[in-house]
Amino acid sequence: MPVPAPILQLTDVKTHFPIAEGFLIKRHTGTVKAVDGVNLTLARGEVLGLVGESGCGKSTLARTILQLVPTTSGTIILEGKNLTAGSTAEVLDARRHLQMVFQDPYASLNPRMTVFATLAEPMAVHKICPASEIPARVAELMTTVGLAPRFMQKYPHEFSGGQRQRIAIARALALQPRVIIADEPVSALDVSIQAQILNLLASLVKKMGLSLIFIAHDLSVVKHISDRIAVMYLGKIVELGNAVDVIERPLHPYTRALISAIPTPNPDVERARQRIVLAGDPPSPVNPPSGCAFHPRCAYAQERCKLSVPPLLATANAREIACVRLGEI
């Protein structure tokens, strides 16, 4: 039986930002390598978790996929359409099927627009339905995300943080997309509200057949919702695999350090366990280390780790690891 084509495919995607100095005459003095050669696929109906430290390039990768940030090189294919080679009109049309939920709903929602105006605007622009049907569609969207339709004439400041995030999710659903990218959608919310938003996203994926890229730095949250997890470090994917396998049997030294930072609810176990503490700070994406970018902080690093950049290679159980010492540690 043939394997279905992924709905989204990234091939060697790079997003670099030039650094220029000078007032009248600008000089190029360096490059920030925010995303540096990412290869990823997203299957239909799949939830892919993307994790890593702050500054590793997760949000930049999300914005690159939507072409909110231009791609330096590489290709992004959405349902057979190359977004990196498409015209402005083609990219705008593709965004109907590719939507994003941003981290801070208060910043991403227009404070001068009511909930009704926020949800109705994309429907009117893309002509999703006749104008006479838009109020009913807005009411249906609000019900879908757990909000009462009677609140549709209120403004964002009149809602709590969790309710605003539900509005942001409803806006992402307004165009009936096939792929949603959620960029740390629960990091600013209380723990109890986090669970509600996670359950909402999981139910929407099953109910509507969505594909979801879920970005976070909390691995326990990502494990709850994801089918697969990709671990990112300094603009590169260093480990990729089934969510349970990555959390319970991490292979890359960086993933092991991230997993060890997850607190355990049992106080006795928490006191007894040994946490892996990484030395130093993450390197600068302006001047990344030679070879494996993780080698200055890795307890298993050898001289050969400084010489070559390890590719992301497939191993058993559909795992992919970027480590020159794979199988030795």
Side-chain angles (χ1 to χ4, degrees):
M1 184 176 180
V3 178
I7 192 169
L8 182 68
Q9 183 170 4
L10 280 62
T11 305
D12 198 26
V13 172
K14 297 181 180 180
T15 307
H16 296 173
F17 300 99
I19 302 174
E21 293 183 357
F23 180 62
L24 295 176
I25 301 176
K26 299 288 186 179
R27 293 186 303 109
H28 181 264
T29 58
T31 302
V32 178
K33 299 178 179 179
V35 177
D36 198 26
V38 169
N39 295 282
L40 275 178
T41 60
L42 180 68
R44 295 179 187 275
E46 179 186 30
V47 179
L48 174 66
L50 183 62
V51 302
E53 292 173 292
S54 296
C56 71
K58 304 185 299 295
S59 294
T60 302
L61 178 60
R63 286 164 171 78
T64 301
I65 294 173
L66 275 88
Q67 293 296 281
L68 298 175
V69 174
T71 311
T72 304
S73 64
T75 57
I76 300 172
I77 309 294
L78 175 66
E79 294 189 311
K81 297 179 181 179
N82 188 345
L83 301 185
T84 52
S87 64
T88 301
E90 290 172 333
V91 172
L92 290 175
D93 181 66
R95 284 208 190 117
R96 173 181 169 180
H97 309 296
L98 181 62
Q99 291 290 299
M100 187 165 179
V101 178
F102 294 91
Q103 179 177 359
D104 184 357
Y106 195 71
S108 64
L109 296 174
N110 189 332
R112 296 186 176 185
M113 295 176 66
T114 63
V115 174
F116 176 81
T118 298
L119 301 184
E121 184 181 46
M123 297 182 193
V125 170
H126 288 269
K127 298 180 173 61
I128 295 296
C129 63
S132 60
E133 297 180 11
I134 287 180
R137 291 283 190 111
V138 171
E140 182 183 0
L141 273 176
M142 294 189 69
T143 302
T144 299
V145 299
L147 293 174
R150 68 177 184 273
F151 295 144
M152 66 173 64
Q153 295 303 329
K154 289 190 172 185
Y155 291 86
H157 71 271
E158 299 180 83
F159 294 90
S160 68
Q163 289 173 324
R164 285 197 290 265
Q165 197 60 282
R166 289 175 185 270
I167 296 169
I169 293 171
R171 182 179 60 181
L173 296 174
L175 296 179
Q176 301 170 344
R178 299 185 180 93
V179 178
I180 288 181
I181 302 175
D183 185 8
E184 302 201 29
V186 299
S187 61
L189 305 177
D190 294 338
V191 175
S192 60
I193 306 301
Q194 285 184 12
Q196 294 177 18
I197 298 300
L198 287 174
N199 291 334
L200 172 62
L201 288 171
S203 66
L204 290 173
V205 167
K206 293 180 180 178
K207 179 181 177 181
M208 306 178 70
L210 296 170
S211 300
L212 175 67
I213 297 178
F214 186 88
I215 301 173
H217 57 263
D218 187 338
L219 277 87
S220 58
V221 169
V222 175
K223 178 187 176 184
H224 175 75
I225 193 173
S226 303
D227 299 309
R228 288 190 302 151
I229 292 178
V231 183
M232 198 169 183
Y233 184 79
L234 209 65
K236 298 179 183 292
I237 302 298
V238 297
E239 183 162 357
L240 175 65
N242 176 275
V244 175
D245 289 340
V246 171
I247 297 296
E248 297 184 357
R249 294 175 290 278
L251 298 179
H252 195 280
Y254 176 62
T255 310
R256 294 179 182 178
L258 290 180
I259 301 300
S260 75
I262 301 176
T264 305
N266 187 323
D268 295 329
V269 176
E270 179 67 19
R271 281 192 294 268
R273 77 185 184 98
Q274 299 242 335
R275 182 181 169 186
I276 302 172
V277 180
L278 297 177
D281 297 318
S284 169
V286 178
N287 186 27
S290 62
C292 175
F294 186 62
H295 84 259
R297 308 172 72 193
C298 181
Y300 305 96
Q302 295 182 347
E303 190 63 30
R304 57 179 167 151
C305 299
K306 306 175 184 178
L307 303 178
S308 60
V309 178
L312 193 65
L313 298 177
T315 65
N317 299 323
R319 299 286 286 279
E320 297 181 42
I321 314 294
C323 181
V324 297
R325 298 196 60 197
L326 182 62
E328 301 177 13
I329 55 179

Short mmCIF file of all heavy atoms in Angstrom, two decimals, residues 218-254:
data_model
loop_
_atom_site.label_atom_id
_atom_site.label_comp_id
_atom_site.label_asym_id
_atom_site.label_seq_id
_atom_site.Cartn_x
_atom_site.Cartn_y
_atom_site.Cartn_z
N ASP A 218 7.88 23.21 27.12
CA ASP A 218 7.51 22.29 28.20
C ASP A 218 7.24 20.91 27.61
O ASP A 218 6.21 20.69 26.97
CB ASP A 218 6.27 22.82 28.94
CG ASP A 218 5.94 22.01 30.18
OD1 ASP A 218 6.36 20.83 30.26
OD2 ASP A 218 5.23 22.53 31.06
N LEU A 219 8.16 19.97 27.81
CA LEU A 219 8.03 18.67 27.16
C LEU A 219 6.88 17.85 27.72
O LEU A 219 6.30 17.04 27.00
CB LEU A 219 9.33 17.87 27.30
CG LEU A 219 10.38 18.22 26.24
CD1 LEU A 219 11.22 19.40 26.69
CD2 LEU A 219 11.27 17.03 25.93
N SER A 220 6.52 18.06 28.98
CA SER A 220 5.40 17.31 29.53
C SER A 220 4.09 17.72 28.85
O SER A 220 3.20 16.89 28.64
CB SER A 220 5.30 17.53 31.04
OG SER A 220 5.17 18.92 31.34
N VAL A 221 3.98 19.01 28.48
CA VAL A 221 2.81 19.48 27.75
C VAL A 221 2.80 18.91 26.35
O VAL A 221 1.77 18.45 25.84
CB VAL A 221 2.79 21.03 27.71
CG1 VAL A 221 1.74 21.54 26.72
CG2 VAL A 221 2.54 21.59 29.09
N VAL A 222 3.95 18.90 25.70
CA VAL A 222 4.06 18.40 24.32
C VAL A 222 3.73 16.92 24.25
O VAL A 222 3.06 16.46 23.32
CB VAL A 222 5.47 18.68 23.76
CG1 VAL A 222 5.63 18.06 22.38
CG2 VAL A 222 5.72 20.17 23.70
N LYS A 223 4.17 16.16 25.24
CA LYS A 223 3.90 14.72 25.25
C LYS A 223 2.40 14.45 25.29
O LYS A 223 1.91 13.49 24.68
CB LYS A 223 4.58 14.07 26.46
CG LYS A 223 4.33 12.57 26.58
CD LYS A 223 4.88 12.02 27.88
CE LYS A 223 4.55 10.54 28.04
NZ LYS A 223 5.01 10.00 29.34
N HIS A 224 1.66 15.30 25.98
CA HIS A 224 0.22 15.10 26.16
C HIS A 224 -0.55 15.17 24.84
O HIS A 224 -1.54 14.47 24.67
CB HIS A 224 -0.32 16.15 27.14
CG HIS A 224 -1.81 16.12 27.31
ND1 HIS A 224 -2.45 15.16 28.06
CD2 HIS A 224 -2.79 16.92 26.82
CE1 HIS A 224 -3.75 15.37 28.02
NE2 HIS A 224 -3.99 16.44 27.27
N ILE A 225 -0.07 15.97 23.91
CA ILE A 225 -0.86 16.25 22.71
C ILE A 225 -0.24 15.71 21.42
O ILE A 225 -0.94 15.53 20.43
CB ILE A 225 -1.08 17.78 22.58
CG1 ILE A 225 -2.16 18.09 21.54
CG2 ILE A 225 0.22 18.51 22.25
CD1 ILE A 225 -2.56 19.54 21.48
N SER A 226 1.07 15.40 21.42
CA SER A 226 1.78 15.13 20.16
C SER A 226 1.81 13.66 19.78
O SER A 226 1.84 12.77 20.64
CB SER A 226 3.22 15.65 20.25
OG SER A 226 3.24 17.02 20.54
N ASP A 227 1.84 13.42 18.46
CA ASP A 227 2.11 12.08 17.93
C ASP A 227 3.62 11.87 17.78
O ASP A 227 4.14 10.82 18.10
CB ASP A 227 1.44 11.91 16.56
CG ASP A 227 -0.07 12.04 16.65
OD1 ASP A 227 -0.66 11.37 17.51
OD2 ASP A 227 -0.65 12.83 15.88
N ARG A 228 4.30 12.90 17.26
CA ARG A 228 5.75 12.88 17.16
C ARG A 228 6.31 14.16 17.78
O ARG A 228 5.62 15.16 17.90
CB ARG A 228 6.20 12.81 15.69
CG ARG A 228 5.98 11.47 15.01
CD ARG A 228 6.68 11.45 13.65
NE ARG A 228 6.21 12.52 12.78
CZ ARG A 228 6.95 13.09 11.82
NH1 ARG A 228 8.19 12.70 11.62
NH2 ARG A 228 6.44 14.05 11.06
N ILE A 229 7.59 14.10 18.16
CA ILE A 229 8.27 15.26 18.74
C ILE A 229 9.56 15.49 17.98
O ILE A 229 10.33 14.55 17.75
CB ILE A 229 8.56 15.06 20.24
CG1 ILE A 229 7.25 15.05 21.04
CG2 ILE A 229 9.48 16.14 20.77
CD1 ILE A 229 7.45 14.80 22.53
N ALA A 230 9.81 16.75 17.61
CA ALA A 230 11.07 17.17 17.02
C ALA A 230 11.78 18.10 18.02
O ALA A 230 11.17 19.05 18.52
CB ALA A 230 10.84 17.90 15.70
N VAL A 231 13.03 17.80 18.31
CA VAL A 231 13.82 18.58 19.27
C VAL A 231 14.76 19.48 18.48
O VAL A 231 15.52 19.00 17.63
CB VAL A 231 14.61 17.67 20.22
CG1 VAL A 231 15.37 18.50 21.25
CG2 VAL A 231 13.68 16.69 20.93
N MET A 232 14.72 20.76 18.76
CA MET A 232 15.49 21.75 18.00
C MET A 232 16.57 22.37 18.87
O MET A 232 16.34 22.70 20.03
CB MET A 232 14.55 22.83 17.47
CG MET A 232 15.10 23.67 16.34
SD MET A 232 13.78 24.67 15.60
CE MET A 232 14.71 25.45 14.27
N TYR A 233 17.75 22.53 18.29
CA TYR A 233 18.87 23.17 19.00
C TYR A 233 19.64 24.05 18.03
O TYR A 233 20.15 23.57 17.01
CB TYR A 233 19.80 22.13 19.62
CG TYR A 233 20.91 22.74 20.45
CD1 TYR A 233 20.66 23.18 21.75
CD2 TYR A 233 22.21 22.89 19.94
CE1 TYR A 233 21.67 23.76 22.52
CE2 TYR A 233 23.22 23.46 20.69
CZ TYR A 233 22.95 23.89 21.99
OH TYR A 233 23.94 24.47 22.74
N LEU A 234 19.72 25.33 18.31
CA LEU A 234 20.48 26.29 17.53
C LEU A 234 20.15 26.20 16.03
O LEU A 234 21.02 26.13 15.19
CB LEU A 234 21.98 26.11 17.76
CG LEU A 234 22.83 27.38 17.60
CD1 LEU A 234 22.48 28.39 18.67
CD2 LEU A 234 24.31 27.05 17.64
N GLY A 235 18.86 26.18 15.73
CA GLY A 235 18.42 26.24 14.34
C GLY A 235 18.37 24.92 13.61
O GLY A 235 18.01 24.88 12.44
N LYS A 236 18.69 23.80 14.30
CA LYS A 236 18.69 22.49 13.65
C LYS A 236 17.85 21.50 14.45
O LYS A 236 17.71 21.62 15.67
CB LYS A 236 20.12 21.93 13.54
CG LYS A 236 21.07 22.78 12.69
CD LYS A 236 22.45 22.14 12.66
CE LYS A 236 23.44 23.00 11.89
NZ LYS A 236 23.12 23.04 10.45
N ILE A 237 17.30 20.50 13.76
CA ILE A 237 16.61 19.40 14.43
C ILE A 237 17.66 18.36 14.84
O ILE A 237 18.42 17.88 13.99
CB ILE A 237 15.57 18.73 13.50
CG1 ILE A 237 14.55 19.77 13.03
CG2 ILE A 237 14.86 17.59 14.23
CD1 ILE A 237 13.73 20.40 14.11
N VAL A 238 17.71 18.03 16.13
CA VAL A 238 18.72 17.07 16.60
C VAL A 238 18.12 15.71 16.94
O VAL A 238 18.85 14.71 17.03
CB VAL A 238 19.49 17.62 17.82
CG1 VAL A 238 20.27 18.87 17.43
CG2 VAL A 238 18.54 17.92 18.98
N GLU A 239 16.79 15.65 17.15
CA GLU A 239 16.14 14.36 17.40
C GLU A 239 14.69 14.45 16.97
O GLU A 239 14.03 15.48 17.17
CB GLU A 239 16.24 13.95 18.87
CG GLU A 239 15.62 12.58 19.14
CD GLU A 239 16.08 11.95 20.47
OE1 GLU A 239 16.93 12.54 21.15
OE2 GLU A 239 15.57 10.85 20.79
N LEU A 240 14.20 13.36 16.39
CA LEU A 240 12.83 13.32 15.89
C LEU A 240 12.31 11.90 16.04
O LEU A 240 13.00 10.94 15.68
CB LEU A 240 12.78 13.74 14.42
CG LEU A 240 11.44 13.65 13.69
CD1 LEU A 240 10.43 14.61 14.29
CD2 LEU A 240 11.64 13.95 12.21
N GLY A 241 11.10 11.76 16.57
CA GLY A 241 10.54 10.42 16.71
C GLY A 241 9.19 10.43 17.39
O GLY A 241 8.63 11.49 17.71
N ASN A 242 8.67 9.23 17.62
CA ASN A 242 7.40 9.07 18.33
C ASN A 242 7.47 9.76 19.68
O ASN A 242 8.48 9.69 20.38
CB ASN A 242 7.11 7.57 18.49
CG ASN A 242 5.87 7.31 19.30
OD1 ASN A 242 5.89 7.27 20.52
ND2 ASN A 242 4.75 7.13 18.61
N ALA A 243 6.38 10.45 20.07
CA ALA A 243 6.38 11.26 21.28
C ALA A 243 6.75 10.45 22.52
O ALA A 243 7.59 10.88 23.32
CB ALA A 243 5.02 11.91 21.47
N VAL A 244 6.17 9.29 22.68
CA VAL A 244 6.45 8.46 23.86
C VAL A 244 7.90 8.01 23.85
O VAL A 244 8.58 8.03 24.90
CB VAL A 244 5.49 7.26 23.91
CG1 VAL A 244 5.85 6.33 25.06
CG2 VAL A 244 4.04 7.73 24.04
N ASP A 245 8.42 7.60 22.69
CA ASP A 245 9.81 7.15 22.60
C ASP A 245 10.78 8.27 22.96
O ASP A 245 11.75 8.06 23.69
CB ASP A 245 10.11 6.63 21.19
CG ASP A 245 9.42 5.32 20.89
OD1 ASP A 245 9.04 4.63 21.86
OD2 ASP A 245 9.26 4.98 19.71
N VAL A 246 10.53 9.47 22.42
CA VAL A 246 11.45 10.58 22.67
C VAL A 246 11.44 10.96 24.15
O VAL A 246 12.50 11.23 24.73
CB VAL A 246 11.06 11.80 21.80
CG1 VAL A 246 11.85 13.03 22.21
CG2 VAL A 246 11.31 11.50 20.33
N ILE A 247 10.27 10.98 24.78
CA ILE A 247 10.19 11.37 26.19
C ILE A 247 10.75 10.28 27.11
O ILE A 247 11.49 10.57 28.06
CB ILE A 247 8.74 11.69 26.58
CG1 ILE A 247 8.22 12.90 25.79
CG2 ILE A 247 8.62 11.95 28.08
CD1 ILE A 247 8.93 14.19 26.08
N GLU A 248 10.41 9.02 26.85
CA GLU A 248 10.79 7.94 27.77
C GLU A 248 12.15 7.33 27.44
O GLU A 248 12.81 6.79 28.34
CB GLU A 248 9.71 6.85 27.75
CG GLU A 248 8.36 7.34 28.25
CD GLU A 248 7.33 6.23 28.33
OE1 GLU A 248 7.66 5.09 27.92
OE2 GLU A 248 6.20 6.51 28.79
N ARG A 249 12.58 7.42 26.18
CA ARG A 249 13.88 6.85 25.79
C ARG A 249 14.65 7.83 24.91
O ARG A 249 14.91 7.55 23.73
CB ARG A 249 13.67 5.52 25.05
CG ARG A 249 13.08 4.42 25.93
CD ARG A 249 12.76 3.17 25.15
NE ARG A 249 11.63 3.39 24.24
CZ ARG A 249 10.37 3.32 24.63
NH1 ARG A 249 10.07 3.07 25.89
NH2 ARG A 249 9.38 3.53 23.77
N PRO A 250 15.00 9.00 25.44
CA PRO A 250 15.74 9.99 24.63
C PRO A 250 17.13 9.47 24.25
O PRO A 250 17.80 8.83 25.06
CB PRO A 250 15.82 11.20 25.56
CG PRO A 250 15.72 10.63 26.94
CD PRO A 250 14.81 9.45 26.83
N LEU A 251 17.57 9.77 23.04
CA LEU A 251 18.86 9.29 22.56
C LEU A 251 19.90 10.40 22.48
O LEU A 251 21.06 10.17 22.82
CB LEU A 251 18.69 8.64 21.17
CG LEU A 251 17.78 7.41 21.10
CD1 LEU A 251 17.70 6.89 19.67
CD2 LEU A 251 18.28 6.31 22.04
N HIS A 252 19.52 11.56 22.03
CA HIS A 252 20.48 12.66 21.89
C HIS A 252 20.80 13.23 23.26
O HIS A 252 19.91 13.40 24.10
CB HIS A 252 19.92 13.74 20.97
CG HIS A 252 20.95 14.71 20.48
ND1 HIS A 252 21.43 15.76 21.25
CD2 HIS A 252 21.62 14.77 19.30
CE1 HIS A 252 22.33 16.43 20.56
NE2 HIS A 252 22.46 15.86 19.38
N PRO A 253 22.07 13.58 23.55
CA PRO A 253 22.42 14.14 24.86
C PRO A 253 21.63 15.40 25.21
O PRO A 253 21.30 15.62 26.38
CB PRO A 253 23.91 14.45 24.72
CG PRO A 253 24.39 13.52 23.66
CD PRO A 253 23.26 13.34 22.70
N TYR A 254 21.31 16.22 24.22
CA TYR A 254 20.54 17.43 24.49
C TYR A 254 19.12 17.08 24.90
O TYR A 254 18.57 17.66 25.85
CB TYR A 254 20.54 18.32 23.24
CG TYR A 254 19.69 19.56 23.39
CD1 TYR A 254 19.98 20.52 24.36
CD2 TYR A 254 18.59 19.79 22.57
CE1 TYR A 254 19.21 21.67 24.49
CE2 TYR A 254 17.82 20.92 22.70
CZ TYR A 254 18.13 21.86 23.67
OH TYR A 254 17.35 22.99 23.80
#
